[in-house]
Amino acid sequence: MAPVKRKAPKEEVPAQAVSVNDLPWLVRHDAGRCVLCGACTAACTFGAIEAKLPPRGASAAEREMRKEAGEGGRPVIVQKAEAAHACTGCGMCEKVCPAGAIRPVRNLDNRWAVLSRTHGEPARRGGRGGRSVVEAPPRERTLDAVVIGRISQMTDPALDSERHTFELRSPLGRLLRPGELPLRVEDGRLVLAGETPPVRWIYPVIFSDMSIGALSTRAWEALALAVAWLNEECHLPVRMSSGEGGVPTRLLESERLKYFILQIASGHFGWNRIIESLPRMKADPAAVLIKVGQGAKPGDGGLLPAAKVAPHIQAIRGVPGATLHSPPNHQGLYSIEEAVQKMHLSMNAAFGFRVPVAVKCAASATSVAVYNNLLRDPYHICGGFFLDGMLGGTGAAYSVSLEHTGHPVVSVVRDCYRAAAGQGLQGRIPLWAGGGIGMNGDAAADAFKLVCLGADGVVLGRLLLQLLGCVGNEHGRCNACNTGHCPAGICTQDPRLVRRLDVDAGAQAIVDYMRAFDAELRKLLAPVGNSALPVGRADALVATRKDVADRLGIAYAC
Amino acid sequence: MCRIGSIKCREAVPPSLALRLMLPQQEGHDNSGFALVMQDLEGAFSHYKETPLLSLATTPEGLRLVADHMAALGFVQLAQWVPEVDNRAGLNMAAMPRYVFSNYDWPEVYRYRGQKDREELLLDTRLALRRLLEEHDAGYVYSFWPDVLTLKEIGDPADIAAYFRLWDDDGRLVARNIVAQCRQNTNYGIVRYAAHPFFLQGHTLCANGENTLFTRNREFQQSLHRGYTGFESDSQCLLYTLHYVHRELGWPLTYYKHVLTPLPAAEAAAREDGEVLGLIRESLAQLEINGPNAIIGLLPDGKMLACCDAKKLRPLVIGSGEGDDGDMVAMASEVCALNAILPARDKEKDIYPGERELVVVDNGLELQRWLQ
């Protein structure tokens, strides 16, 4: 709802009216270069601009002369002075303009923090952490204050990243302690004498759980295509989480289900179809991920706005077209141990105890306590602990949640690892870290550092969308994932917008990035002389900030 | 870089032989220390093979503390050998005031206890003595085990030998198994406990190299077993892994190599025992090493073993001699060492363990080469 407009008497200054200068982005239009093609207004999914005939200053006589000469006015593109149609800075107008006549510019004098809340609804946006108000500086990242400082030379030589064989694999599943292994000595050899929990050794990157409703079907398909290609052509066993919201039946019944982690959250959206498909499944999924919380809006459930609930999404989810809320908690769960065990047992049983079941929580000051509980669980149920830091998030969230709640992922990963190490339980439940990984484009460096601090692997989300063409950033650009108007066709179900996304090109971009990621990861492993992932090898890192060094328990360097 | 060596012989040999093994490798160490562990002793200790032998370097105060502690535990001293040191000026070494090697009879309550209980007692006693001596800054305790003697000192190996009159070969100090190292660990400061070989419940190990996954190894081992302590040297992790796999888990010796340097996943998966290897790797990933290391180990039953990390950057050679060479097998970082004590051996038969190999020498001096 737009703010109420008051028609001001001519003598009165309309001080309370919204002007274009109150909005976070200004559209600069050069009428002299404009060719009047109309592409910009057609491309703008937010209705932020329109063509108008501007009033002109001219005498009555002059106006009369023009009229007689048959001269009309020349229309110009103007920005609407309405909060509901505020420009998001996505720059689609600029992309489609053949004459370079239009572009958005950041408006430092905006009143957006106030305007976005004037209609009685909390401000919402998509994207991840960082501030939506444009003047705020980007958040300082802990990982940028950490560098890989232990370079092997002379006595422990570095490896050749081009030629050496590296083993870049991480576990997903419950790993037993050596004394718990069902092994028996027979004729001088160890033989297996019992069952062990299922464990998958996969690439240390998982594509984050972005549901088929949060994304467009094309975007989801591009991710799925990239995953299949990475596995089958590039030999990188990357896995993708489905997100809450279900999986197309054809995929459920395909061999390629093995590349996917099925997510179940408190709304259980899409699980009817999954359960119904069980008898026809040709392959087991890579894992089941129980989402308890997420980093973008910790303490909130999932939210799929009605504007994005297209008919095929309704069909997959089995819920009629309405705003879909996944509650912030799993109803009936009242303790970590009992609740998670109940869920795990049912999930395990559904897949014949062949599929590891992991838990995803928002990073929190209590994460260590939860992890400790899971570690001490005597039934070896939990097969992974996914920590989602406050910089994570792709879908719709309240701005106040994105900006003011949550916990950075780095220290909580470190704390969990150290808590486990203190009990000799490190590595028993793989730690996966998400939330802002690759914010600066260097996902491999972020992943390597988190691995050294104790993570077994990382989860990428927003970075993938950026590879698909998302223009949103941490400084308030676009971030309209919640509106259904995604100008890149990534986070929308509008068929006209979805068509903007080229599935193959998107998948190609992701595959190319992951190939570069793989090469970069080797480039980081080689100088520290490790051919396998150095999980917990914090001595390979130094911090350039004393506070970071102290907090993470690594050496300080200056 | 340090240099390591070991001798396994049918007849007991003096430590001067180990020095002759180590000194030719002098270009590869910095003369900052010498240490050896002798097992299967004869000479002065031949009558006390069943009773635990305590190896100490200490101060007079430390000696009193140890005597009181041992008496309180019920250990009765049976014999003591104190080397008559050559205290001449000019020797390049930092000597402790007292070196004591004492045999003790078992406390009365342990006389009828099982082997396992006795072994735990010996470990707990050594750890307690170590804490006691550390509290009073009164010296070092290296081993407490039947038929095992440990000597470590900081300084020039030849001068250390002169100080202890090891060159005299008077027949009092001889053994069938000797593991030795020259040069102290310099990565973390020179302290006596950082000198190889390391000893734990009959397991002896020394290594030449750098354990690049030291932090990860240590963090895991610290909670695995109370005996996994100290960590003055990153190579101690290799001993603790040997002890853990061989003694605590009771796995066949070959799995030590599988734990240290697991096969690449694809290679392991293709094998018949791939599932077992996969489980071992999953479960003991924290004990992997990424090298470079050359390792010599000695087991409680006298078997000697040698292996390297998967990078195979540190040299290690094994040679055996008969007849004139005195029926022995020797291992060393460099082949010049073997040439010094086994000049007549058939050099064609020298073994340079590969990156996937584990070599075991049994008490009949028979060599088994096992490929991972």
Side-chain angles (χ1 to χ4, degrees), chain A residues 3-19:
Chain A
V4 178
K5 281 187 175 178
R6 256 169 19 101
K7 184 136 177 106
K10 281 182 183 172
E11 297 78 16
E12 198 177 314
V13 176
Q16 284 167 292
V18 174
S19 74

Side-chain angles (χ1 to χ4, degrees), chain A residues 155 167 176 190 424 428 529 531, chain B residues 210 223 255 265 281 283 290 314:
Chain A
T155 60
E167 284 213 292
L176 299 182
L190 290 174
R428 301 301 134 213
S531 50
Chain B
E210 190 151 342
S223 54
Y255 289 91
R281 183 170 197 185
S283 189
N290 238 169
R314 291 296 159 92

Side-chain angles (χ1 to χ4, degrees), chain B residues 111-129:
Chain B
R111 205 170 286 276
Y112 305 105
R113 293 267 188 99
Q115 181 70 7
K116 178 112 175 106
D117 286 352
R118 287 181 168 199
E119 290 179 2
E120 299 306 308
L121 171 71
L122 295 184
L123 173 64
D124 287 333
T125 305
R126 178 172 65 80
L127 294 176
L129 288 177

Side-chain angles (χ1 to χ4, degrees), chain A residues 94-398:
Chain A
E94 190 178 4
K95 282 186 181 168
V96 297
C97 178
I102 192 166
R103 66 194 165 89
V105 294
R106 204 177 279 279
N107 177 23
L108 295 180
D109 297 316
N110 71 78
R111 293 173 56 230
W112 188 244
V114 178
L115 289 184
S116 59
R117 292 173 169 97
T118 49
H119 41 289
E121 285 277 326
R124 278 188 210 155
R125 64 183 173 86
R128 61 182 168 206
R131 307 299 292 261
S132 59
V133 277
V134 292
E135 68 270 23
R139 236 180 252 278
E140 189 176 10
R141 291 182 358 130
T142 309
L143 287 175
D144 292 336
V146 175
V147 287
I148 299 143
R150 191 190 192 283
I151 308 302
S152 295
Q153 292 165 96
M154 301 280 279
T155 60
D156 56 333
L159 303 173
D160 183 334
S161 69
E162 307 292 334
R163 296 173 184 83
H164 193 87
T165 306
F166 292 87
E167 284 213 292
L168 307 181
R169 297 290 181 272
S170 282
L172 179 54
R174 181 60 170 244
L175 292 101
L176 299 182
R177 302 170 83 172
E180 295 163 345
L181 291 176
L183 297 175
R184 190 176 64 222
V185 182
E186 217 170 75
D187 298 331
R189 297 167 70 90
L190 290 174
V191 293
L192 199 57
E195 299 289 325
T196 55
V199 179
R200 313 269 195 259
W201 281 87
I202 61 177
Y203 199 72
V205 168
I206 288 175
F207 288 177
S208 184
D209 24 339
M210 296 178 284
S211 77
I212 203 163
L215 302 184
S216 68
T217 36
R218 283 202 183 201
W220 205 89
E221 190 185 340
L223 292 179
L225 194 59
V227 165
W229 190 270
L230 286 167
N231 275 277
E232 293 173 7
E233 299 297 328
C234 306
H235 307 294
L236 297 182
V238 173
R239 297 290 177 266
M240 169 173 162
S241 175
S242 65
E244 185 194 24
V247 178
T249 306
R250 279 183 65 183
L251 179 54
L252 287 170
E253 296 177 9
S254 138
E255 287 282 356
R256 292 187 171 118
L257 183 63
K258 63 189 173 196
Y259 305 141
F260 290 82
I261 296 168
L262 300 179
Q263 187 178 80
I264 183 165
S266 50
H268 296 218
F269 296 137
W271 269 78
N272 271 2
R273 271 205 180 188
I274 292 171
I275 300 300
E276 282 162 12
S277 295
L278 269 170
R280 293 183 299 282
M281 283 186 189
K282 296 185 187 68
D284 286 331
V288 172
L289 182 61
I290 299 172
K291 185 183 89 170
V292 178
Q294 66 275 285
K297 41 182 187 285
D300 267 355
L303 177 68
L304 181 63
K308 290 173 69 176
V309 187
H312 60 279
I313 303 301
Q314 297 172 29
I316 291 174
R317 299 198 168 175
V319 183
T323 293
L324 295 181
H325 231 124
S326 203
N329 61 353
H330 289 256
Q331 301 298 319
L333 308 189
Y334 61 91
S335 79
I336 300 167
E337 300 89 342
E338 191 188 37
V340 173
Q341 278 185 30
K342 268 183 199 167
M343 295 163 68
H344 281 199
L345 283 171
S346 57
M347 288 301 105
N348 272 320
F351 291 97
F353 299 91
R354 299 185 306 268
V355 175
V357 181
V359 177
K360 171 181 167 175
C361 294
S364 158
T366 62
S367 292
V368 178
V370 176
Y371 191 51
N372 274 333
N373 272 276
L374 297 173
L375 282 170
R376 293 167 197 164
D377 153 36
Y379 306 106
H380 311 312
I381 285 167
C382 183
F385 193 46
F386 285 55
L387 284 162
D388 201 12
M390 66 188 300
L391 294 175
T394 52
Y398 294 106

